[in-house]
Amino acid sequence: MPWQRKDLLGLEELTAEEIELVLRTAEVFADVFERPLKKFPTLRGRTVVNLFYEPSTRTRTSFELAGKWLSADVINISSSSSSAAKGESLADTARTLEALGADAVVIRHSAAGAPHLLARTVKIPVLNAGDGAHEHPSQGLLDLFTIRQHKGKIAGLTVTIVGDLLHSRVARSDIWGLTKLGARVRVTGPATLVPPTFASLGVEVYRDLRPAVEGADVVIVLRLQRERQAGGLIPSLEEYAALFGLDAEKMSWLKPDALVMHPGPANLGVEITEEAALDPRSAIRDQVRNGVAVRMALLYLLVGGGEKDVPAVA
Ligand code: ASP
């Protein structure tokens, strides 16, 4: 099945087959870090614009590396350096970039739905790099890729997501992807950050950390999104860390072969201690590296070469 969609807006709308196609394509690029020559010629002559209206280190850098390693020209625009600061509308910015010959736009925005608006405005592919608390599909895909790399499968696994689910676009994309591929998903955190309504997404809501992580194959720890909290949703960071922060003691509740993941950036000492983040069971470094392979696969499928099923290894 070739890739058919113009845009990547969220995992909610993708079928399991489409998710599989991205993961299979990413396999081809997975060893890119080991290669002496990292460049594939695939997107030579194409231009990819990274339009970031919110701060980002790993997502922006890895989309940039992905574009460059596919030989595209990559342009980075951040909100402070764009005409958005002069009041230009998002749709107008997108039309300008399209008129200047951009072949794809990667957008991060604090408003849920901003990439969808863009996708309706321009004919070129739009890739959602995180919209508000809605979705972060490339992160969801790299999480699926990392889990499968370590566990050999997704179907039948039990995956626990811990923490600030309310504000987490990563959690929403992970939940869509994991459930579509047949994993059982548990979620846990303070009731203010994990409302019971999450059950409607097909996950099991736990109030306490211990039963939620016991027996889990994968534990995904989320960043406590202090910048998105109107305040007052947790009594204190110390209490949050004591009840839900993954530390050496709580790591002992996990299976010996459980995988620990975090989308980054981590508040070390709040949702996870440095010791837990560096534990041999932690796959956080693999997540960062796999992010490049998955984003190369996405650019390959959406911007060039999507007519072939999986690219030939150069
Ligand atoms: N980097 C991820 C995001 O942009 C996770 C986070 O910020 O907590 O959503």
Side-chain angles (χ1 to χ4, degrees), residues 58-59 108 129 136 139 169-170 223 225 227-228 263-265:
R58 60 216 86 212
T59 304
R108 159 156 309 183
H136 192 350
Q139 176 77 44
R169 52 195 173 208
V170 175
R223 182 170 68 88
Q225 304 218 356
E227 81 279 20
R228 286 191 214 281

Side-chain angles (χ1 to χ4, degrees), residues 233-309:
L233 289 180
I234 51 166
S236 73
L237 291 180
E238 290 71 24
E239 183 180 312
Y240 181 84
L243 292 175
F244 291 100
L246 208 55
D247 56 16
E249 192 210 329
K250 299 193 193 84
M251 286 292 282
S252 71
W253 301 344
L254 273 53
K255 291 209 304 197
D257 65 345
L259 204 61
V260 174
M261 297 172 43
H262 189 303
N267 298 301
L268 293 177
V270 181
E271 69 265 5
I272 191 165
T273 60
E274 186 166 17
E275 194 183 358
L278 296 175
D279 188 275
R281 285 174 284 180
S282 162
I284 297 174
R285 187 167 176 271
D286 298 333
Q287 286 175 279
V288 174
R289 287 165 72 101
N290 289 336
V292 179
V294 165
R295 290 171 177 126
M296 286 175 84
L298 290 170
L299 291 176
Y300 172 84
L301 291 170
L302 274 83
V303 186
E307 65 280 353
K308 281 195 253 100
D309 195 4

